[in-house]
Amino acid sequence: MKYLQIFFFVFLLTPFASNAQLSEKQAPQRFDSFLENIPHGTIDTVTYSSATVGTNRNALVYTPPGYKKNKKYPVLYLLHGIGGDEKEWFKNGQPQIILDNLYFQKKLSPMIVVLPNGRAMKDDRAIGNIYGSDKVQAFATFEKDLLNDLIPFVEKKYKVFTDRENRAIAGLSMGGGQSLNIGLGNLDKFAWVAGFSSAPNTRNPEELLPKPEEATKNLKLLWISCGDQDNLMRISARMHDYLRNNKVPHIFYVEPGGHDFKVWKNDLYMFSQLLFKPVNTALFSQYTVLGSSASITD
Ligand code: FER
């Protein structure tokens, strides 16, 4: 009986104790290695009609290993950067490998991941001057395309939960800015929001969250991350300062690295494990990889 009690305490209650420890601060070796003999998810290309753009647009969709058509799933919208398109994550980050491996280790809550093209214009390819004002504007127009065209399409085509607590938005760089702008600007639609190395398209925090207490009340998780060598650190640091000053719980995850997929793959590994699960804000301050102020909950 005594052993049973000890077992119960050590293995079942420990994660909920106030001294709970974060088990990993960065992805381990081989987190992104393809493992032949484990179950794999599926990547499909889907095409939706966009009233916003006036064209048919493509997105990639990753369904998890063991995906069942008649089961309901939450959805993560995962956005690319200024030089990318709907295939950028797939080509350079291979999120399906990272997620397959995490599922195999039972570290993920089952979800569908949608990889859209965030450049909402007729020719949405990353060609010519990718910093051109028409292209940058198209990353802002994507908000309408996502909310009015893509999300309704996904919710019709797949059996998914449609409430805010079952919808997440995350992205890298330009897509990080979009995720913060769209996620924080539409708290009725998203409860999980993440910006990886967010770009200067990120709106000023004061404009984005004039009522920070609404973010505190509504968000399940707000994740801000950036490599310590990234020239865009000021964007993430500015957001973190505003959130800290206004007591909005969030993770500010500063990791070694620059503006590249090594950082973003690690972000996906760390962030995805938190999604669609009970959130322990007591662990937020333990995410710091570098520096003493890298994470803040108060
Ligand atoms: C900028 C610098 C970087 C900018 C966008 C980026 C719109 C985006 C980088 C990326 O997505 O990797 O001044 O302005």
Side-chain angles (χ1 to χ4, degrees):
M1 186 59 200
K2 187 139 192 224
Y3 288 113
L4 197 65
Q5 276 173 358
I6 290 170
F7 171 84
F8 187 73
F9 184 78
V10 171
F11 292 99
L12 300 177
L13 291 183
T14 301
F16 299 101
S18 59
N19 62 352
Q21 293 292 309
L22 182 67
S23 54
E24 285 173 324
K25 293 191 178 189
Q26 285 185 277
Q29 296 264 313
R30 294 174 48 78
F31 76 108
D32 55 352
S33 300
F34 179 76
L35 302 179
E36 181 113 36
N37 297 315
I38 65 166
H40 299 288
T42 306
I43 296 235
D44 290 310
T45 301
V46 297
T47 304
Y48 63 102
S49 162
S50 167
T52 303
V53 179
T55 54
N56 287 336
R57 312 196 68 227
N58 287 344
L60 302 191
V61 176
Y62 167 85
T63 49
Y67 170 72
K68 292 189 184 61
K69 272 193 171 148
N70 57 359
K71 220 191 107 181
K72 272 193 177 180
Y73 292 84
V75 185
L76 164 64
Y77 292 85
L78 184 60
L79 313 184
H80 61 80
I82 200 161
D85 58 23
E86 73 278 9
K87 298 196 194 91
E88 185 185 36
W89 266 103
F90 178 62
K91 281 189 199 155
N92 302 318
Q94 302 201 286
Q96 75 284 10
I97 295 179
I98 296 171
L99 299 175
D100 284 350
N101 291 350
L102 282 169
Y103 281 116
F104 186 63
Q105 294 183 72
K106 305 215 176 323
K107 288 180 169 176
L108 280 192
S109 191
M111 68 185 92
I112 289 177
V113 182
V114 178
L115 305 158
N117 182 317
R119 194 181 295 96
M121 62 196 291
K122 287 209 160 66
D123 185 350
D124 60 11
R125 292 173 299 166
I127 51 165
N129 178 11
I130 55 169
Y131 290 87
S133 62
D134 56 334
K135 293 202 170 55
V136 169
Q137 174 54 44
F139 278 88
T141 306
F142 177 69
E143 176 164 354
K144 278 208 181 71
D145 179 83
L146 176 65
L147 298 180
N148 301 338
D149 304 312
L150 180 55
I151 290 178
F153 169 83
V154 168
E155 295 183 349
K156 221 165 127 186
K157 181 167 171 75
Y158 297 90
K159 211 163 167 207
V160 293
F161 293 107
T162 57
D163 59 309
R164 53 185 298 285
E165 300 208 356
N166 283 295
R167 197 182 293 122
I169 186 163
L172 71 90
S173 197
M174 204 66 178
Q178 288 178 307
S179 299
L180 298 178
N181 293 347
I182 300 171
L184 301 180
N186 297 277
L187 293 171
D188 59 327
K189 302 276 191 335
F190 300 93
W192 310 80
V193 177
F196 306 161
S197 319
S198 300
N201 63 325
T202 309
R203 289 169 63 196
N204 283 328
E206 296 78 4
E207 278 170 47
L208 198 50
L209 282 179
K211 295 182 183 153
E213 65 282 1
E214 289 186 356
T216 301
K217 187 169 146 246
N218 287 302
L219 286 173
K220 288 284 201 184
L221 176 64
L222 176 50
W223 167 286
I224 309 287
S225 57
C226 198
D228 65 335
Q229 303 298 313
D230 191 323
N231 289 330
L232 297 179
M233 172 59 94
R234 67 183 188 284
I235 307 290
S236 295
R238 177 182 72 172
M239 185 63 76
H240 161 59
D241 286 346
Y242 181 79
L243 296 170
R244 185 185 49 193
N245 293 340
N246 289 283
K247 304 198 186 319
V248 180
H250 64 289
I251 291 176
F252 182 45
Y253 181 70
V254 178
E255 63 211 283
H259 198 74
D260 57 45
F261 264 96
K262 185 170 178 291
V263 163
W264 302 323
K265 288 168 76 169
N266 181 56
D267 292 335
L268 180 66
Y269 177 90
M270 295 299 294
F271 170 71
S272 63
Q273 294 183 60
L274 296 166
L275 283 176
F276 311 121
K277 293 175 180 174
V279 174
N280 184 355
T281 53
L283 291 180
F284 283 13
S285 62
Q286 295 183 26
Y287 275 79
T288 177
V289 182
L290 295 167
S292 57
S293 66
S295 313
I296 230 78
T297 53
D298 60 4

